[in-house]
Amino acid sequence: MRVVLISANLELRPSPVYPVALGRLAGALQAAGHEVCQADRLVDGLDAVVASAAAAQPGLMVVSLRNVDDTDERRGSSYIAGYAELIAALRAVSAAPIVVGGAGFSLFPERILAACGADIGVVGPGEDTICALAANPAAIGPGIMRLGQPYTGPLVTAATWAMPSHHEPRLLRHYWQHSGMIGVQSKRGCPRRCSYCTYPQIDGRRAASAQLDDVVDELARLEADHGVRYVFFVDSVFNLNRSHELALAAAIRARGLHISWGAFFAPRGIDRAYLAALQAAGLRHVEFGTDSVCDAILQRLGKGFSVADVQQASADCHALGLACAHYLVFGSPGETAATATESVQRASELPGSVFFPFSSLRIYPGTPLYDQALADRQISAGQDLLQPHYYHSPALPRDELLAILDAWPGRPQRWLDSRRTSSLGPLLAQLRKRGAVGPLWDYALR
């Protein structure tokens, strides 16, 4: 069967994000004997995407929905209307069934399937499910949702998985040129229990590692065939399986690759020797989902690490010369003026780090934060959370929180909030033109 794969994402902030899922789905479909065409609304525009879908005369059209909104309370942009527009336009030129899936879809599958007007939804990892639908569009089973039919739940994540990605050179070239990095996934699923996080709903709680040879082969192809010099591992948390990660580092070195990379890490479960081994294999940027530098708030958020872990991990990165960033969230359950001030002060003491601060948390169904928001009467039972709603600690008025953040001693150099990152857009564009690669936030440290 001929299958058209389409990335529906239009978001450009902080930089265009390469649609990793399209390459993986294309690789799986081609391995199963299907013909694949890839298109991207951000790169091609709506009219060109629809025209290419019509010309392909597909038996199945698959639309990947990366996010439902921008999770920015200040802007509050929802993407659902744009997705519905795309699907309606595809419907007008082809009678082929339309499948929607992706991380964003998996959070609100029933609502989005109805709102977008697609025929079939895929919840969770999609490679096996899309192949099953390409073989038989009427297939039912785990991971497949149809309006008006019973849903049996997502696929169970296997302990390991293959990733025979097939990158569309035209699309990959665009993202490499405009974002200076390409996403690669070495594992999926997350056993951690952060109170607000949706990764376990998307990929399951079991961490499943990709086969090492597949990951290294992918890196080698990106470097040799496409000139990619930097990748970002899009795993929910990179350091979930120490032996696998060290084996991956060893395999990268053994293959003689020169590609640089970054990833998200948790501050616990790493040490200087571990980081040094990864650094020898190309690690350059370490991003921590720290959230708070106050033990009381870390415990409320279910982070599974302490301030001492954050301090040690930051010190290790600094000692090795690794660029280090911390994502911080203020106003979460239990936050007070005292805890916010403590977090700001301790963050300012972390060496060689930049910070991405957020002053609220997006509430998603099925998370402990959802239950807390119900208890605090910030949302009501049955409320439609496809429309974004954000949690604010009842014990810390928003204007008082913003005053604490504005007084942070590290501003403005190391404090990259949404206002500053927006203002840096022209500078980052110039750096890209000069050949700068990677996330570029480390320029705040120079």
Side-chain angles (χ1 to χ4, degrees):
M1 175 183 286
R2 183 178 295 123
V3 181
V4 171
L5 303 175
I6 301 168
S7 170
N9 177 55
L10 288 173
E11 184 58 74
L12 293 169
R13 297 187 316 152
S15 61
V17 177
Y18 180 66
V20 176
L22 256 62
R24 284 210 314 268
L25 293 173
L29 286 163
Q30 288 182 336
H34 301 285
E35 183 180 346
V36 179
C37 303
Q38 298 184 49
D40 186 313
R41 187 174 181 182
L42 179 62
V43 176
D44 302 322
L46 177 62
D47 291 344
V49 167
V50 173
S52 65
Q57 298 182 333
L60 195 70
M61 295 185 287
V62 180
V63 181
S64 177
L65 313 183
R66 181 173 179 268
N67 297 105
V68 295
D69 54 69
D70 61 3
T71 66
D72 185 337
E73 189 173 22
R74 184 172 58 89
R75 292 180 67 198
S77 299
S78 172
Y79 306 142
I80 302 303
Y83 297 155
E85 177 189 36
L86 170 61
I87 289 169
L90 293 171
R91 180 84 69 198
V93 299
S94 174
I98 299 176
V99 181
V100 290
F105 175 79
S106 296
L107 297 176
F108 299 93
E110 294 173 317
R111 285 283 288 108
I112 294 177
L113 186 61
C116 289
D119 301 297
I120 307 166
V122 171
V123 182
E127 295 92 336
D128 292 342
T129 311
I130 292 298
C131 287
L133 289 167
N136 176 17
I140 58 174
I144 298 175
M145 170 178 286
R146 301 173 189 271
L147 286 178
Q149 294 187 14
Y151 174 56
T152 59
L155 286 170
V156 176
T157 304
T160 61
W161 51 284
M163 47 174 291
S165 295
H166 175 79
H167 300 287
E168 169 57 49
R170 177 180 61 85
L171 300 182
L172 192 137
R173 184 166 53 249
H174 174 92
Y175 284 98
W176 175 240
Q177 177 183 350
H178 291 279
S179 67
M181 54 185 168
I182 298 297
V184 173
Q185 192 170 24
S186 74
K187 63 179 70 67
R188 58 166 53 131
C190 186
R192 303 181 67 85
R193 297 188 176 274
C194 303
S195 66
Y196 56 84
C197 188
T198 57
Y199 275 117
Q201 294 175 243
I202 297 168
D203 282 333
R205 287 203 175 275
R206 182 179 186 178
S209 299
Q211 296 175 16
L212 281 177
D213 287 345
D214 284 348
V215 181
V216 180
D217 286 347
E218 169 123 1
L219 297 176
R221 287 196 302 273
L222 288 171
E223 183 178 79
D225 299 344
H226 304 284
V228 171
R229 308 192 310 277
Y230 190 102
V231 303
F232 193 90
F233 284 101
V234 298
D235 311 8
S236 60
V237 178
F238 186 79
N239 57 312
L240 292 176
N241 184 339
R242 185 184 181 98
S243 61
H244 182 270
E245 292 129 26
L246 291 174
L248 174 60
I252 291 172
R253 295 195 304 272
R255 190 72 70 91
L257 302 182
H258 301 289
I259 206 160
S260 298
W261 56 277
F264 286 108
F265 289 79
R268 175 170 287 180
I270 60 177
D271 52 47
R272 195 168 301 184
Y274 168 87
L275 289 169
L278 302 187
Q279 185 180 37
L283 175 64
R284 298 292 178 265
H285 295 85
V286 176
E287 301 191 10
F288 290 115
T290 305
D291 292 346
S292 178
V293 199
C294 170
D295 280 324
I297 300 303
L298 289 174
Q299 186 173 7
R300 288 290 298 268
L301 289 171
K303 296 299 293 183
F305 54 79
S306 67
V307 170
D309 294 320
V310 175
Q311 294 168 330
Q312 185 61 58
S314 295
D316 288 338
C317 288
H318 187 58
L320 292 168
L322 289 168
C324 177
H326 296 268
Y327 289 78
L328 300 176
V329 174
F330 296 91
S332 59
E335 190 86 275
T336 64
T339 63
T341 301
E342 176 184 347
S343 189
V344 164
Q345 180 57 44
R346 286 184 164 173
S348 69
E349 298 166 357
L350 297 175
S353 300
V354 300
F355 303 92
F356 293 92
F358 299 86
S359 58
S360 58
L361 281 169
R362 169 72 152 94
I363 303 169
Y364 291 99
T367 64
L369 181 66
Y370 175 86
D371 297 332
Q372 185 66 54
L374 279 177
D376 291 341
R377 298 183 179 179
Q378 298 203 17
I379 58 173
S380 57
Q383 181 173 338
D384 182 10
L385 293 178
L386 186 57
Q387 299 302 316
H389 198 88
Y390 296 83
Y391 185 95
H392 299 280
S393 172
L396 182 58
R398 186 162 176 77
D399 57 349
E400 186 176 351
L401 169 60
L402 295 178
I404 292 171
L405 301 184
D406 285 340
W408 187 66
R411 293 175 64 93
Q413 182 181 3
R414 295 199 291 154
W415 192 259
L416 301 179
D417 59 18
S418 59
R419 291 171 295 181
R420 184 163 184 235
T421 52
S422 295
S423 69
L424 290 174
L427 172 61
L428 299 181
Q430 286 298 319
L431 290 171
R432 293 289 184 216
K433 288 182 180 179
R434 295 173 187 173
V437 301
L440 301 186
W441 49 254
D442 55 320
Y443 278 79
L445 298 171
R446 300 181 183 185

